[in-house]
Amino acid sequence: MAFILSNIVSKTCVKSLEDKLLALSISASGTQIRERHIMNPPPRLRNPTWFTKKHRVVHNDEITTDNQEFVKEVVQDKYSNKDESPLLSEIAANAAEWQPTFKRTGVIARKIGIYPIWMKDGTKMTTTLLQVLDNHVIKYYTPEEYENSQPNKTRVMKKKGCLLLGAEGTDPSLLTKEYCGLFKNSGVIPKKFLARFFVSPDAALPPGTPINALHFQVGNFVDVRGKTIDRGFQGVMKRHGFKGMPASHGVTKTHRRGGNIGGGGEKARVWPGTKMPGHMGNRYRVLKGLKIWRINTKYNVLYVSGQNVPGDTNSIVTIYDTILPLRKPSNPVPFPTYLNTDEIHEEDLYDDDVHQFCDPTIEYNET
């Protein structure tokens, strides 16, 4: 009898121990899950007020080639802007005279590469090619409408309107119904990319207005905003350009480290903004004061100075008039945009200091 009782007690003790171990393992696993974190979290997306999801699930329906062509014709008839030229003539009749205090809209472009050009004195300069896509005005928000949609904004003295632009048309059947509803009153086909620009009330444009590369002039200065290339987690030498430690002479495993960050003294902490390893790239940056050296009117390409425009090749950037006070245009610019679409221009427009390949490289003076 005693043997049976001892056996029962031992079984109950073993079972209680197993339950405790199971509870400890569950709590430990729960703690491990809670402590997991992402080393490089993506930046938080702050969607604007007009943002609507544009992607939907595409179903592989069996549609014949004839039906596909018919659907394309219906889409073009529905979204084509048939009143484009009367619209531009109406804008030109009601346009105000340009003033330096006015702020025009910008454009959406694609970075397509870099290209060298030569000055007339023989110096070489590297330029970045920005192709202005088929930009159209989608909607205009008056200063009162935009202020009501942003209740937490501080009070602004010089109120400006908000102009919504779209670029690079796409097939509406691949988008959601809500996203296509943004383009209902504009008379243009739904666009892949949207951007907003703050403009003066006198520079407002009605929906459906096209904007091309002649919105800018050769010799003017612009600001370009784009998202930098995502480099991931990088050290201080690549991220901040540190020199690094010596390669030999007593240096032990600190060749590419940042060194002392000054943690002693009264502060005894790391100051905010200290240059340390971390995530590099994938942030919006603005390059200001870029001069336009050449404009190709056939393909709507702008040649701007420099080769450090933020973004990778084929990335989307936004271009607008520079905000630098010493580089703002002094001569009148197309306001509110270039409206003489029927005017015939040369295929390439050059700055006065740029050497054209059709010009002679050597000139002889008659004696």
Side-chain angles (χ1 to χ4, degrees):
M1 187 69 179
F3 175 76
I4 296 172
L5 290 175
S6 62
N7 192 10
I8 294 172
V9 170
S10 61
K11 287 183 179 180
T12 55
C13 294
V14 170
K15 186 175 181 181
S16 61
L17 288 175
E18 289 179 353
D19 295 340
K20 290 182 180 180
L21 290 175
L22 182 60
L24 287 175
S25 62
I26 293 174
S27 63
S29 63
T31 305
Q32 291 177 359
I33 292 175
R34 285 197 301 268
E35 291 181 355
R36 289 178 183 174
H37 61 278
I38 302 174
M39 292 295 294
N40 298 325
R44 186 173 61 179
L45 181 62
R46 298 175 177 86
N47 296 327
T49 56
W50 45 263
F51 179 80
T52 308
K53 291 184 178 180
K54 58 183 178 180
H55 299 292
R56 71 168 182 85
V57 179
V58 180
H59 301 280
N60 296 325
D61 298 332
E62 296 182 359
I63 304 177
T64 61
T65 306
D66 297 337
N67 290 340
Q68 291 179 357
E69 296 295 334
F70 175 73
V71 170
K72 290 182 180 180
E73 291 179 2
V74 172
V75 170
Q76 292 294 336
D77 294 340
K78 181 179 179 180
Y79 290 99
S80 61
N81 192 356
K82 301 178 181 179
D83 299 331
E84 183 174 313
S85 55
L87 180 65
L88 296 179
S89 61
E90 182 181 354
I91 298 172
N94 300 329
E97 187 177 355
W98 177 81
Q99 296 181 10
T101 57
F102 287 166
K103 188 173 183 179
R104 303 189 305 159
T105 180
V107 297
I108 305 173
R110 184 188 297 276
K111 179 181 175 182
I112 59 176
I114 60 176
Y115 190 79
I117 60 174
W118 283 264
M119 303 291 107
K120 290 184 177 180
D121 58 357
T123 58
K124 179 183 176 181
M125 179 174 293
T126 305
T127 61
T128 302
L129 278 64
L130 304 176
Q131 185 179 18
V132 180
L133 307 176
D134 52 341
N135 284 239
H136 285 85
V137 178
I138 306 302
K139 191 174 182 181
Y140 172 70
Y141 296 88
T142 61
E144 293 76 15
E145 292 177 350
Y146 184 78
E147 187 177 7
N148 294 333
S149 62
Q150 303 289 332
N152 297 329
K153 294 290 184 179
T154 58
R155 184 179 179 183
V156 181
M157 300 303 296
K158 296 181 180 180
K159 297 182 179 180
K160 291 181 173 59
C162 181
L163 204 63
L164 180 62
L165 258 66
E168 195 167 342
T170 183
D171 188 2
S173 62
L174 303 179
L175 308 175
T176 60
K177 182 179 179 181
E178 292 77 13
Y179 184 79
C180 293
L182 297 173
F183 309 88
K184 183 177 181 180
N185 298 327
S186 61
V188 297
I189 196 169
K191 304 288 186 177
K192 286 185 181 180
F193 309 105
L194 296 176
R196 58 180 180 179
F197 301 92
F198 295 100
V199 299
S200 302
D202 294 326
L205 294 170
T209 306
I211 301 176
N212 54 20
L214 292 177
H215 180 74
F216 302 101
Q217 291 180 336
V218 173
N220 290 350
F221 294 88
V222 295
D223 296 344
V224 182
R225 180 178 183 267
K227 181 179 283 189
T228 56
I229 301 175
D230 190 3
R231 303 292 185 182
F233 191 93
Q234 298 295 336
V236 292
M237 293 183 65
K238 185 177 181 64
R239 191 185 185 198
H240 301 292
F242 281 18
K243 179 182 177 181
M245 301 295 179
S248 60
H249 295 286
V251 178
T252 304
K253 296 183 179 181
T254 58
H255 307 286
R256 299 182 64 88
R257 292 179 177 268
N260 183 22
I261 61 173
E266 296 181 357
K267 63 176 185 177
R269 63 187 179 91
V270 180
W271 285 100
T274 303
K275 294 181 179 180
M276 300 182 71
H279 190 88
M280 179 180 177
N282 199 28
R283 296 293 187 271
Y284 280 102
R285 293 291 181 264
V286 181
L287 196 60
K288 301 178 182 178
L290 304 181
K291 185 176 181 179
I292 300 177
W293 295 99
R294 175 181 172 185
I295 296 179
N296 183 277
T297 58
K298 181 178 180 181
Y299 297 102
N300 288 328
V301 178
L302 303 177
Y303 293 69
V304 299
S305 57
Q307 57 181 358
N308 57 338
V309 173
D312 202 352
T313 305
N314 293 327
S315 61
I316 300 299
V317 298
T318 55
I319 312 172
Y320 46 89
D321 295 330
T322 183
I323 62 174
L324 300 179
L326 298 180
R327 297 191 179 185
K328 288 185 177 181
S330 57
N331 299 326
V333 296
F335 186 81
T337 184
Y338 183 77
L339 303 173
N340 299 327
T341 55
D342 298 334
E343 186 178 356
I344 300 176
H345 289 276
E346 297 181 0
E347 184 174 344
D348 291 295
L349 304 176
Y350 296 89
D351 188 74
D352 295 336
D353 298 333
V354 176
H355 170 72
Q356 302 182 25
F357 292 107
C358 59
D359 296 338
T361 56
I362 299 176
E363 295 182 359
Y364 297 95
N365 295 328
E366 297 181 1
T367 58

